[in-house]
């Protein structure tokens, strides 16, 4: 599963970090609020960080908040397709607010199917007086347009390289289906304890197999969903994160989950939060029964819930992050007791971060023996399991489970 990533590394497609949003003008008009948010995003703000505070300060009812959220997320997601509709009617470059406003109108007209008279008039109403005539003229032409994109990347509104990369790594049919699915809004899934977590992430936590009384390390834990899920199974989970702010988020989520009134921590399970660099872990050899390395990644499996991530991720990010993933895995190996389980997971679909990591582990650490691949809707992917977004409407995930086949404390660590 852009914004700075967890654990202190700048990672495209990762939630919850970035500069604190600037105060935004308060408005009760959902289109005006959406426009203000879109301008902020165009300036570099993260959609998930900027929109929430604006909605909270707006005083709008739930219906208007939902409409404004759809406008912001949808317009950001489909901005390339919107530009395709707008650009034929432009004679000069546009400033960011005007282009954002035209994208907002185009999204309503062609993707939300808002009636033309309502979409055009309401969008023009939030335009500055100096541009209202221009915006009105362009959007009326856009409303009448029957132009269709001639290429897949424009049609689905992704960068060319991203579409080409997934086609190369997944095949044309699976790549297209994944890209189409990731243009759909993410569903809200609540666990029994009330924690909101995608089903794919819940299944990864289940795949760790944490049992009552076991000591489990979640090496890259923020925001804490998988750690709390494993604690509910009765395990003592040590949840680590590099940044104090992120560790604080894990602690807050753990406290809320434990106090949910559903079951608390079953069988003595608990979460202990630690600020630590996963590449240089402070624990002793063979300290854990299981280790989960839910590693920072390019996030190309979770683009539906991060609408601006597709425009932030860069072509070389997967290769760069694979180096970090290898460092984290090497650091985690000696933390396992003999016979312990190491689980590697990422919320992306690139070959480099899935099969590439699996191949490297198989070649360099043959004493890490693979467990069986996960069942449907997961599919075999190397020695691991791949969850495609189109399978169940979940996030895209890769999960590889390995067992320490001999005492790892005596092994010589190999450089990544």
């Amino acid at each position: 599963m852009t914004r700075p990533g967890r654990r202190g590394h700048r990672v495209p497609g990762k939630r919850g970090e970035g500069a604190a949003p600037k105060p935004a003008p308060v408005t009760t008009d959902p289109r005006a609020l959406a426009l203000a948010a879109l301008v902020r995003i165009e300036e570099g703000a993260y959609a998930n960080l900027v929109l929430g505070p604006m909605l909270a300060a707006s005083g709008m009812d739930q219906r208007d908040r939902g409409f404004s959220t759809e406008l912001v997320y949808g317009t950001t997601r489909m901005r390339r397709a919107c530009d395709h509709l707008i650009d034929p009617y432009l004679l000069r470059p546009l400033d960011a607010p005007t282009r954002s406003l035209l994208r907002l109108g185009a999204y309503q007209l062609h993707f939300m199917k808002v009636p033309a008279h309502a979409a055009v008039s309401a969008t023009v109403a939030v335009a500055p007086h100096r541009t209202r005539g221009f915006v009105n003229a362009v959007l009326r032409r856009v409303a009448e347009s029957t132009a269709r994109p001639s290429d897949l990347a424009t049609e689905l509104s992704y960068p060319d390289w991203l579409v080409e990369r997934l086609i190369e790594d997944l095949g044309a049919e699976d790549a297209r289906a994944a890209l189409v699915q990731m243009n759909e809004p993410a569903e809200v899934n609540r666990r029994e304890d009330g924690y909101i977590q995608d089903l794919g992430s819940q299944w990864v936590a289940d795949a760790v197999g944490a049992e009552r009384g076991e000591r489990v390390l979640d090496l890259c834990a923020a925001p804490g969903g998988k750690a709390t899920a494993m604690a509910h199974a009765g395990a003592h989970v040590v949840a680590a994160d590099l940044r104090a702010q992120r560790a604080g988020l894990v602690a807050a989520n753990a406290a809320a989950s434990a106090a949910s009134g559903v079951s608390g921590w079953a069988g003595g399970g608990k979460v202990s939060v630690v600020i630590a660099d996963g590449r240089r872990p402070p624990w002793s050899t063979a300290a854990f029964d299981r280790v989960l390395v839910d590693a920072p990644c390019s996030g190309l499996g979770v683009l539906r819930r991060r609408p601006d991530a597709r425009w932030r991720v860069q072509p070389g990010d997967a290769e760069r992050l694979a180096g970090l993933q290898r460092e984290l895995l090497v650091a985690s190996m000696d933390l396992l007791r003999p016979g312990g389980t190491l689980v590697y997971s990422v919320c992306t679909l690139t070959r480099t971060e899935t099969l590439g990591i699996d191949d490297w582990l198989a070649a360099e650490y043959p004493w890490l023996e693979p467990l069986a691949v996960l069942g449907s809707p997961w599919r075999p992917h190397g020695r691991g399991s791949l969850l495609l977004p189109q399978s169940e409407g979940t996030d895209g995930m890769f999960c590889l489970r390995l067992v320490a086949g001999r005492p790892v404390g005596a092994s010589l660590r190999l450089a990544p």
Side-chain angles (χ1 to χ4, degrees):
M1 245 209 142
T2 52
R3 47 199 201 324
R6 307 184 291 195
R7 308 120 198 160
H9 305 283
R10 190 161 183 82
V11 180
K14 291 290 184 181
R15 280 179 301 207
E17 299 276 41
K22 297 181 294 187
V26 176
T27 176
T28 58
D29 184 303
R31 287 181 175 86
L33 187 147
L35 175 61
L38 289 169
V39 171
R40 292 287 316 285
I41 294 166
E42 191 70 12
E43 293 171 344
Y46 296 93
N48 64 318
L49 295 181
V50 75
L51 182 58
M54 294 176 70
L55 290 173
S58 70
M60 293 191 301
D61 61 28
Q62 197 61 38
R63 179 180 178 182
D64 281 347
R65 288 188 184 199
F67 181 58
S68 193
T69 299
E70 168 64 9
L71 290 175
V72 173
Y73 275 48
T75 302
T76 301
R77 187 181 295 119
M78 302 305 295
R79 79 177 198 187
R80 180 173 182 176
C82 290
D83 284 345
H84 175 77
L85 294 166
I86 295 164
D87 285 346
Y89 310 111
L90 304 181
L91 299 178
R92 56 180 173 78
L94 298 179
D95 59 84
T98 303
R99 180 167 286 278
S100 294
L101 187 60
L102 290 174
R103 287 171 175 166
L104 182 64
Y107 181 73
Q108 294 172 73
L109 288 165
H110 281 266
F111 297 100
M112 294 185 74
K113 304 301 183 184
V114 175
H117 67 279
V120 173
S121 61
T123 303
V124 169
V126 300
H129 284 285
R130 65 179 177 82
T131 62
R132 284 187 176 180
F134 171 73
V135 169
N136 180 69
V138 172
L139 288 183
R140 289 190 180 281
R141 298 290 298 275
V142 169
E144 298 167 355
S145 174
T146 58
R148 293 292 179 266
S150 59
D151 62 275
L152 185 63
T154 303
E155 175 191 347
L156 298 182
S157 193
Y158 291 92
D160 290 335
W161 74 265
L162 196 158
V163 173
E164 293 165 2
R165 179 70 178 262
L166 290 189
I167 288 175
E168 180 180 354
D169 289 355
L170 298 176
E173 182 177 349
D174 282 338
R176 182 187 178 97
L179 292 165
V180 168
Q181 182 62 42
M182 288 190 291
N183 276 342
E184 297 296 323
E187 295 182 3
V188 176
N189 292 283
R190 292 184 183 272
R191 301 187 323 211
E192 186 182 18
D193 62 353
Y195 190 93
I196 297 175
Q197 186 179 35
D198 182 74
L199 286 175
S201 292
Q202 294 184 43
W203 295 336
V204 168
D206 291 342
V208 176
E211 297 182 359
R212 184 170 300 183
E214 287 188 330
R215 185 172 169 84
V216 179
L217 173 62
D218 188 346
L219 192 65
C220 309
K226 297 179 181 69
T228 54
M230 294 186 291
H232 276 300
H236 175 194
V237 181
V238 177
D241 205 276
L242 178 61
R243 293 186 176 182
Q245 180 183 5
R246 299 288 287 166
L249 179 60
V250 177
N253 284 330
S257 180
S260 64
V262 176
S263 60
W265 300 126
K270 64 179 181 178
V271 174
S272 299
V273 180
V274 178
I275 301 171
D277 186 343
R279 298 168 299 176
R280 290 175 284 275
W283 300 281
S284 59
T285 297
F288 296 96
D289 299 290
R290 302 175 194 268
V291 176
L292 169 62
V293 180
D294 183 36
C297 67
S298 59
L300 299 188
V302 292
L303 296 177
R304 62 181 186 148
R305 67 177 68 253
R306 303 172 193 173
D308 48 340
R310 68 186 68 190
W311 311 119
R312 297 184 191 275
V313 184
Q314 298 301 308
D317 284 338
E319 284 69 26
R320 176 177 59 83
L321 288 162
L324 173 59
Q325 292 154 10
R326 291 192 293 268
E327 285 187 83
L328 292 168
L329 285 164
V330 169
S332 70
M333 292 176 188
D334 283 353
L335 303 177
L336 281 170
R337 65 166 176 79
T341 302
L342 173 64
V343 178
Y344 169 74
S345 67
V346 283
C347 56
T348 194
L349 305 171
T350 70
R351 177 178 292 270
T352 298
E353 299 167 277
T354 59
L355 295 178
I357 294 295
D358 182 24
D359 290 343
W360 166 75
L361 285 168
E364 301 293 344
Y365 303 96
W367 44 267
L368 289 172
E369 301 167 358
L371 289 172
V373 298
L374 302 172
S376 179
W378 298 82
R379 64 169 63 176
H381 201 58
R383 300 181 302 167
S385 307
L386 183 68
L387 181 65
L388 292 173
Q390 62 266 33
S391 299
E392 294 288 332
T394 65
D395 291 339
M397 297 276 182
F398 175 73
C399 183
L400 174 64
R401 303 184 300 163
L402 303 162
V403 173
R406 66 184 174 94
V408 293
S411 68
L412 181 63
R413 292 180 179 175
L414 301 180

